[in-house]
Amino acid sequence: EEKAAELALTSRYKSEFLANMSHELRTPLNSILILGQQLAENPDTNLSPRQVEFAKTIHAAGTDLLHLISDILDLSKIESGTVTVDSEEISFAHLRENLERSFRHDAERRNLEFSVDVAPELGRSLSTDPKRLQQILKNLLSNALKFTEDGSVRLKARPATSGWTPGHVILDKAPMVVAFEVSDTGIGISPEKQRIVFEAFQQADAGTSRKYGGTGLGLAISREIAGLLGGELKLTSAVGEGSTFILYLPLNYVGADSAHEARAQAAMPMPTALPQTSSQPFEQVPDDRTSILPGDPSLLVIEDDPRYATILRDLARSSGFKVLVAHRGAEGLRLVREYRPTAITLDVFLPDMLGWTVLARLKQDSDTRHIPVQIVTVEEERHQSIERGAFSYLAKPADTESIEAALERIKQYALPRVKRLLIVEDDPAERMSIEELIRHDDISIDTVGSGAEALDALQNSNYDCVVLDLRLPDMTGFELLDKLQDQPQLRDVPVVVFTGKDLSAAEDARLKKAAKSVVIKGVESPERLLDETALFLHRVIGDLPPAKRQMVQRLHESDDALKEKRVLVVDDDVRNIFALSSVLERHGMDVVTAGNGQEAVDKVAADRDIALVLMDIMMPGMDGYDTMRAIREDPDSRALPIVALTAKAMKGDREKCLEAGASDYLAKPVVTDQLLGVLRQWLHR
Ligand code: ADP
């Protein structure tokens, strides 16, 4: 027992040391990568082609170093037993699609035949840790492609009854074993090297490997993960003919404890009852994911409380929905991609991220933007929900009747139908150009020329969105907005105010004030008008005519959302501040900086124009967590977006960040495109 306790302690020290070391290594890498990339882009066009080549090499070398660090960390974490298995159900179709997407292009480029086949006897899905499984398969496939000059690379998944080491504790007892077979017609591996390629840093032939590149860690990690997942990795190969790697896995992952036993190859009988997977703290509410057919109306329930999820599921089923249930935000986003549900109900408090982040991600992606989302939140956040593109909100706790009514409403809404838009504009030329901009066969447009007509139209029929000009003949747009606010059934109709000209400071202030009660957006450009109305009308971006689709996409990739926004960069490392600032400034942002936590808190309190904070977590003295908590204490800063930057090394970092008040989370070293994506997402609306 004493020895075991000692071992546990050393292994904890070891992983803490590695986590810190990897952070220390990543911090300087951060500047190398960002500045290298920036130089390579040669924005001021003052570098010679040779110098650009140097910059590209610096960036590429930095990227290799980063992979190496991540691999070492990964391997040590697995070896020290600090890695948990996040088992979930994953469909073979999804897996195949993913792998094909990753390798098809590469294979074509190298003129290799490439195929991924799944035997139908395996059924629809398996349950294991999808990230880890893909890590192994991707490593095997990229090796196969790397070491094959001509011929083919194939992945076959099939049921297996033998092939693994006899006496394997888990595989021998598993009701069904799946074999993932990766075979190539490449250079092959000689018998005496077949064992050592699984060792860390070992390559079959240092000479050839140098030709092919690589770290020699991939197979070592793959073998460890295979064990962790309760399976085994086997190899057969002949020099000059090719290699076949086979990964055997139980079709259903059977839990952490038994996987550890298998790693030790202890010949103990398997308990008959399968142990609970320790990494699944939530009781998964059974849903309809295996019985959804194309065309079925489906509702995705993202809700961490299993009891409430069950209630919603049952009510939704009786309203005619097939139901999917996710208990965490990330899982919800994954299910959206995989199943494309008709509608979503989303709780704001989730264990891994705020519902607002989930909503922002859905609305940022043109493939998922049209799916109506009902937010489950408190009354005070009603307005915020609609403004951010939610279809409706439901106050919690809700009674059965109101849930049923809400489900019915969202179901009706999601039915294929033409959405209705009202344009309030008296100038005929303007009216025509707005109509031209928005018109398509998914929308029916009515136009009126005065405030009185607008009120009349809104009272007598249902519109999904209103476009409003502030200058009207009979009343100002502001008066109309006031009238809308007085009528509870009209205050949730989203209004997009299209001015076409700059508003005076007084008008602007008035619009902002009105926007606190009625859902309105002021836009100046036609692109923004198209984009905002598309959001509120839940238009399918992919179905718009190409020119308009491009307009929306360009807007999302443009710097519009970033320009002139003030961002506070908090970091104790001046090189990092410099690297980040130069990227942000290049995209038109106004950067202010703070070198420690206290300075950050003071700056946020003193400067209300700060639109977003980028917060480094590891700072001496007051760290990022404490700083975020201190910022959130001020009621005026509750809604300020704070993006935390941290080394992804420690388990639970993400949860800790969100708990301390971060709105989002980025792992270091920061990838420029990812950073800009996250900033656009938070600053766009
Ligand atoms: P890396 O590919 O980064 O060198 P790996 O651990 O993935 O590291 O592989 C170790 C070695 O095993 C490779 O360097 C190579 O010599 C050999 N190897 C792996 N896969 C194949 C394959 N499909 N064909 C031939 N040799 C292979």
Side-chain angles (χ1 to χ4, degrees), residues 352-365:
D352 59 337
M353 57 177 88
L354 283 177
W356 300 120
T357 310
V358 178
L359 183 65
R361 298 248 160 96
L362 290 171
K363 294 297 159 185
Q364 186 73 12
D365 182 345

Side-chain angles (χ1 to χ4, degrees), residues 220-257:
I221 294 176
S222 297
R223 187 183 58 174
E224 291 292 327
I225 302 176
L228 197 67
L229 297 180
E232 196 178 18
L233 187 58
K234 287 286 204 184
L235 160 65
T236 51
S237 178
V239 174
E241 286 173 24
S243 317
T244 301
F245 285 86
I246 306 183
L247 167 67
Y248 296 97
L249 281 186
L251 192 68
N252 291 302
Y253 173 70
V254 285
D257 295 337

Side-chain angles (χ1 to χ4, degrees), residues 18-50:
L18 277 162
N20 286 332
M21 183 194 75
S22 92
H23 174 82
E24 295 303 332
L25 289 173
R26 283 174 211 231
T27 299
L29 249 187
N30 211 18
S31 337
I32 295 180
L33 284 174
I34 294 181
L35 296 177
Q37 188 183 7
Q38 286 241 75
L39 277 181
E41 283 169 13
N42 196 8
D44 302 328
T45 52
N46 57 358
L47 296 183
S48 70
R50 229 173 109 72

Side-chain angles (χ1 to χ4, degrees), residues 139 143-144 146-147 184 187-189 197 202-205 209 213-220 243 245:
N139 180 42
N143 274 347
K146 185 161 73 171
F147 294 106
D184 65 56
I187 61 171
I189 305 168
V197 292
Q202 291 294 340
Q203 302 181 315
D205 171 347
S209 301
T215 59
L217 282 171
L219 286 177
S243 317
F245 285 86

